[in-house]
Amino acid sequence: GDQVEQSPSALSLHEGTGSALRCNFTTTMRAVQWFQQNSRGSLINLFYLASGTKENGRLKSTFNSKESYSTLHIRDAQLEDSGTYFCAAPNTEGADRLTFGKGTQLIIQP
Amino acid sequence: GPKVLQIPSHQIIDMGQMVTLNCDPVSNHLYFYWYKQILGQQMEFLVNFYNGKVMEKSKLFKDQFSVERPDGSYFTLKIQPTALEDSAVYFCASSLDFYAEQFFGPGTRLTVL
């Protein structure tokens, strides 16, 4: 089965509101990356975490390797936050590759 | 943040032809990767590359695929010959170290007719 499970698959928010995206791992991961894929298809690096919590502007991410999950919180959502959000992780089986989740499609409405 | 460049942004070719996708990784990065994404779906790992050698490849990295980085120039993905199922967006990534943060290029959209 999938090693990286993202939820929800889609989310609609009104401007100014917030929510959380989640990534569950079925195996031990040593780190997690979060990306935003914008309307042009480009992948924007949001966070890289080996543990703990990081914050950047209106975004905050937490990685709990022991309980095998990561979250991405968005607050005060803006129209430009629309896009698909992916989490990805390198697993611990000796392979230097990222395994991606299927993404959360986020739509911000005025 | 660090920038990875990819050339071209779009490529349309006929099935059976050869295509080379070019990647200009972050200048001091040592590890390079190719990923494949079909129709905005899940990103899939193809191959990683370090010190002039392929370290690991997935089952998606068919025999028709090859990678190289001659003399520190572009990191390239060559497909010869192409097939219809090779149509996808190909993303290049690079990182400073093993298991370090990977930075992605904007992708090359390949259409095989």
Side-chain angles (χ1 to χ4, degrees):
Chain A
D2 289 347
Q3 293 183 323
V4 180
E5 299 167 349
Q6 277 190 254
S7 61
S9 58
L11 179 63
S12 179
L13 296 175
H14 287 288
E15 267 186 300
T17 63
S19 189
L21 313 181
R22 187 166 172 117
C23 201
N24 288 324
F25 310 113
T26 57
T27 185
T28 303
M29 299 297 188
R30 59 178 68 227
V32 65
Q33 286 192 240
W34 283 93
F35 301 90
Q36 178 196 18
Q37 189 165 37
N38 62 20
S39 58
R40 290 192 306 275
S42 295
L43 275 179
I44 300 166
N45 282 47
L46 299 177
F47 292 103
Y48 173 86
L49 297 102
S51 65
T53 298
K54 286 188 179 177
E55 196 163 350
N56 184 5
R58 296 176 292 100
L59 301 178
K60 182 172 74 173
S61 182
T62 298
F63 177 45
N64 187 323
S65 58
K66 192 174 178 182
E67 296 187 15
S68 297
Y69 74 90
S70 178
T71 55
L72 177 68
H73 292 262
I74 301 174
R75 62 176 175 84
D76 188 23
Q78 303 297 306
L79 293 176
E80 62 265 27
D81 295 333
S82 292
T84 302
Y85 289 75
F86 291 98
C87 63
N91 63 28
T92 57
E93 295 174 6
D96 183 22
R97 60 162 77 179
L98 287 178
T99 300
F100 280 76
K102 292 183 178 176
T104 294
Q105 187 177 11
L106 177 64
I107 298 171
I108 309 299
Q109 300 179 20
Chain B
K3 294 284 187 194
V4 175
L5 304 177
Q6 289 187 242
I7 301 163
S9 56
H10 294 82
Q11 181 88 51
I12 301 173
I13 58 169
D14 291 321
M15 182 176 63
Q17 283 190 315
M18 182 195 76
V19 68
T20 300
L21 309 183
N22 298 291
C23 172
D24 188 9
V26 178
S27 60
N28 61 337
H29 284 186
L30 301 174
Y31 295 80
F32 313 115
Y33 314 81
W34 284 102
Y35 291 82
K36 178 181 181 180
Q37 186 182 38
I38 296 177
L39 291 175
Q41 295 176 15
Q42 198 166 2
M43 193 82 69
E44 304 275 6
F45 168 82
L46 286 176
V47 66
N48 55 20
F49 188 88
Y50 168 71
N51 199 25
K53 297 174 197 168
V54 169
M55 294 191 299
E56 191 203 357
K57 54 188 179 182
S58 73
K59 60 181 186 295
L60 295 178
F61 193 80
K62 304 181 297 184
D63 291 343
Q64 297 88 333
F65 288 31
S66 63
V67 291
E68 63 175 355
R69 193 186 187 210
D71 301 323
S73 60
Y74 288 142
F75 174 51
T76 62
L77 172 65
K78 183 186 293 185
I79 309 174
Q80 182 178 25
T82 51
L84 294 176
E85 60 266 26
D86 296 332
S87 294
V89 181
Y90 290 84
F91 288 90
C92 170
S94 70
S95 69
L96 188 58
D97 202 350
F98 200 67
Y99 285 130
E101 184 176 7
Q102 293 183 24
F103 293 87
F104 283 71
T108 292
R109 182 177 298 276
L110 176 65
T111 302
V112 182
L113 302 176

